[in-house]
Amino acid sequence: MSKVLGVIGGMGPAATVAFLARVQALTPARGDADHIRVLMDLNPQVPDRNTRPGEAEVVLGQMAARLAAAGAQVIAMPCNTAHAQAGEIRAVCAAQGLGFIDMIAATADAAVADHGLNDGARRIGVLATSGGGRLYQAALEARGVETVLLDGADREAFMGLVYGVKRGDVGEAARVGMRGLAQALGEAGAQALIAGCTEVPLLLRAEEAPVGLTDSAEVLARACVGACL
Amino acid sequence: MSKVLGVIGGMGPAATVAFLARVQALTPARGDADHIRVLMDLNPQVPDRNTRPGEAEVVLGQMAARLAAAGAQVIAMPCNTAHAQAGEIRAVCAAQGLGFIDMIAATADAAVADHGLNDGARRIGVLATSGGGRLYQAALEARGVETVLLDGADREAFMGLVYGVKRGDVGEAARVGMRGLAQALGEAGAQALIAGCTEVPLLLRAEEAPVGLTDSAEVLARACVGACL
């Protein structure tokens, strides 16, 4: 019997749906019954993680508790930035004996493994929000890897593209824009990239990146399938 | 404040995810917070609706009760066939004052309105499972419209395509197959079509159908947005 996956979603809504599709695509299934049961709370009204982090943390913890009460056994949150406010989620999971899959740690591990960086290369570029970038910087530093982040106008352009996705804009101009930012990180010395925001893969495919790209949503989906099956 | 949508899903898993994407696409949103909160139980292990209908009805009722307890205010189930086992869901919703959107009734209404059939034309073809076809036949009959259903080898071919989608097969051969079945209903006298199974739109777009096609998943998504916003 597979475990029930609890998904803390809605940050943003489209990224959550894309994440569910990935979990299914990565599940070896010959029919409905082979798939993982998923309880999801897609809550687009979680307080803003940048401006109201404390309130966000409380709401995220309540969402985890409700998913646990409904029967979830493994918890995942397909939003990198919100992992800075995952403290209450971790507390709920620890108290109830549930697994919480840390998207940042899993992705940092995968990025280092994916590109053989532990054999030499030492600089990974991260496409992420300011908050997500800080989480990855710490995680990569702990693994002996230097982080290359977007700055200035590039950071602003990135946020514009992310908010565009949240409005439904995944058109060609937005895709060109995200490719350009990936290129900029490569030119700044990144030997590999992390798509460290769940909106990124809605605009950029791995094969379009100038260097090897590890997608945090793909890593988390794979970890969920591994933990639940 | 918008209402919280509760989705009884997993029949099948891919159709549920496609349904969530439609709800979002139909929601006028400038950012995350404009989207509808969705609580979902994607349960691919609901007992088989054809061979164990009584057990399925009990499980579906339990899923509705759990979604209600978690805060859902409007319940929808993006699976036409399972509406034959919706009795317990209706009982839970009635007892707790929640709305349940009847996918079959909403789609039959929309099909009659979409194609102006109430002005003359009187035959609607339905791409559905045996169980779903019976539900639509009753609903359309109540609206004074004749139903054209798949039979014999075409019905078997249809079920093969549906189970194929559940295995992940949405390739070109499957798409050609579904177009052929839509064509067959047209040749049998259907003046309009209903995609009366949530796997159908994963293989057939409205513009590929030989006559006007009303998609039950689209109708349900639109009704959910209307009920929750």
Side-chain angles (χ1 to χ4, degrees), chain A residues 30 32 37-38 41-42, chain B residues 32 37-38 41-42 166-167:
Chain A
R30 299 290 304 164
D32 286 358
R37 184 170 187 175
V38 181
D41 184 351
L42 186 155
Chain B
D32 286 358
R37 184 170 186 174
V38 181
D41 184 352
L42 187 155
K166 292 172 186 292
R167 283 193 307 273

Side-chain angles (χ1 to χ4, degrees), chain A:
Chain A
M1 190 69 181
S2 65
K3 288 189 182 165
V4 178
L5 177 63
V7 173
I8 297 175
M11 304 164 282
T16 302
V17 169
F19 173 75
L20 294 174
R22 266 172 211 265
V23 169
Q24 290 180 7
L26 291 167
T27 305
R30 299 290 304 164
D32 286 358
D34 301 325
H35 280 279
I36 295 165
R37 184 170 187 175
V38 181
L39 299 173
M40 175 193 77
D41 184 351
L42 186 155
N43 182 2
Q45 284 95 34
V46 173
D48 190 288
R49 279 71 70 198
N50 296 303
T51 59
R52 297 157 62 197
E55 291 169 64
E57 181 159 344
V58 170
V59 170
L60 293 172
Q62 291 165 343
M63 291 167 72
R66 219 169 291 140
L67 288 169
Q73 297 164 289
V74 172
I75 299 285
M77 176 166 62
C79 173
N80 291 278
T81 312
H83 276 65
Q85 283 79 47
E88 288 292 325
I89 298 174
R90 290 181 207 276
V92 166
C93 289
Q96 309 212 13
L98 273 63
F100 172 62
I101 302 178
D102 185 318
M103 187 179 203
I104 308 291
T107 303
D109 282 344
V112 170
D114 274 1
H115 307 294
L117 289 173
N118 41 5
D119 291 333
R122 283 280 172 263
R123 306 190 77 192
I124 298 186
V126 182
L127 290 161
T129 63
S130 301
R134 281 192 294 272
L135 295 175
Y136 276 108
Q137 193 154 34
L140 291 173
E141 196 175 309
R143 288 160 179 78
V145 173
E146 191 183 335
T147 305
V148 185
L149 294 172
L150 298 167
D151 56 15
D154 283 349
R155 164 61 48 86
E156 279 175 41
F158 179 81
M159 291 310 296
L161 293 172
V162 166
Y163 282 110
V165 170
K166 292 172 185 292
R167 283 193 307 272
D169 180 7
V170 291
E172 188 52 26
R175 305 186 69 87
V176 169
M178 192 60 81
R179 272 206 299 279
L181 295 174
Q183 195 71 42
L185 287 174
E187 286 163 10
Q191 297 152 324
L193 290 176
I194 287 175
C197 174
T198 48
E199 270 80 20
V200 173
L202 303 181
L203 295 178
L204 181 73
R205 294 196 306 275
E207 56 271 29
E208 297 168 327
V211 291
L213 179 124
T214 300
D215 179 358
S216 59
E218 179 87 8
V219 170
L220 182 63
R222 201 176 292 279
C224 288
V225 172
C228 290
L229 280 190

